[in-house]
Amino acid sequence: MQKLVLFLLLFSQAVYAQDKQRGNEFISPNGQFFLRTISFSNTIGDYQGKSIVYRSDSTKLYEIQTMLNGYNLFLSNDGQTIIIINYEGVIFYKQGRLYKKYERKDLIGIDYVDCDDYEENCSLFYKPDSAQLVHQNNSPNRKVVKAICKNPLYHKQDTLVIFANKNKILKFSVETGGFTIKPFSTVEL
């Protein structure tokens, strides 16, 4: 429990995309860069458009010829890396080019084609089942579990952490795009 609380405290200053989002703009944690997405279509799910990264003084750095969008979109402190986390996995862009792409199957072993949302949690993100929640209701860890369920993403400096399905913790390097996987059992709950 102490290790997890310490971990969460270290990331308590974590920046969520939704906390640093202004309309169609996503701001880096240090506020020095922002990403603006422009749609050329009004159709939901249509990514025709462009995405532009600017310095805080509105000087254009680079442009991507697609509309990057998502609830979980992060821009690095140097403005060079964009990370998109969605239902299908994690995508890294470096200096406007696709750099790395990890599918959910690579990260947590769940292939969307083989998963039935009615039977199991097919999401990338951690979500305890009902039995776990009942057990946690009387536990001192209840607040920690609720915090992880509410916000399974933490981003600070050069690290992105995802509390993932199948009781896994995914830790990504913003700089390299590499990641490590640890089981929840390595953290005292």
Side-chain angles (χ1 to χ4, degrees):
M1 171 76 172
Q2 291 173 339
K3 288 181 184 178
L4 181 59
V5 171
L6 177 62
F7 175 80
L8 291 175
L9 286 174
L10 289 173
F11 282 87
S12 65
Q13 301 282 326
V15 178
Y16 290 93
Q18 57 269 33
D19 291 342
K20 288 287 195 173
Q21 181 181 356
R22 293 187 315 235
N24 64 344
E25 292 182 359
F26 298 86
I27 304 166
S28 65
N30 63 7
Q32 298 299 308
F33 300 91
F34 66 94
L35 167 72
R36 180 175 291 151
T37 61
I38 301 165
S39 175
F40 297 158
S41 170
N42 289 329
T43 305
I44 295 174
D46 186 351
Y47 295 100
Q48 291 182 5
K50 62 183 175 180
S51 301
I52 307 167
V53 174
Y54 298 92
R55 294 187 191 282
S56 59
D57 66 1
S58 296
T59 304
K60 182 178 168 181
L61 284 181
Y62 58 89
E63 185 173 309
I64 301 171
Q65 293 302 312
T66 189
M67 186 186 84
L68 301 177
N69 207 351
Y71 185 66
N72 300 309
L73 190 146
F74 299 92
L75 180 62
S76 65
N77 276 332
D78 64 3
Q80 298 300 310
T81 305
I82 300 166
I83 306 168
I84 302 168
I85 299 133
N86 60 31
Y87 191 74
E88 298 171 5
V90 180
I91 303 166
F92 283 78
Y93 283 85
K94 281 268 197 196
Q95 299 173 341
R97 291 191 166 84
L98 180 62
Y99 180 63
K100 292 195 177 186
K101 182 175 183 178
Y102 301 104
E103 294 183 4
R104 183 180 34 205
K105 186 175 184 175
D106 303 325
L107 300 170
I108 58 173
I110 295 177
D111 187 356
Y112 182 71
V113 176
D114 298 332
C115 191
D116 181 359
D117 269 326
Y118 294 108
E119 297 293 323
E120 62 182 309
N121 176 14
C122 299
S123 171
L124 176 62
F125 305 114
Y126 174 74
K127 184 168 55 173
D129 62 30
S130 300
Q132 287 173 303
L133 285 175
V134 169
H135 174 70
Q136 290 295 335
N137 268 341
N138 299 321
S139 166
N141 301 325
R142 184 181 74 235
K143 289 181 181 178
V144 172
V145 171
K146 284 175 94 175
I148 291 170
C149 290
K150 185 176 178 183
N151 294 313
L153 301 172
Y154 292 86
H155 175 222
K156 184 173 183 181
Q157 304 299 340
D158 292 331
T159 304
L160 176 70
V161 176
I162 301 174
F163 287 91
N165 193 354
K166 302 295 182 187
N167 296 324
K168 295 181 180 181
I169 299 171
L170 309 174
K171 187 175 179 181
F172 291 87
S173 165
V174 173
E175 182 65 31
T176 67
F179 72 97
T180 58
I181 300 175
K182 291 186 177 186
F184 271 24
S185 61
T186 62
V187 178
E188 293 180 23
L189 283 175

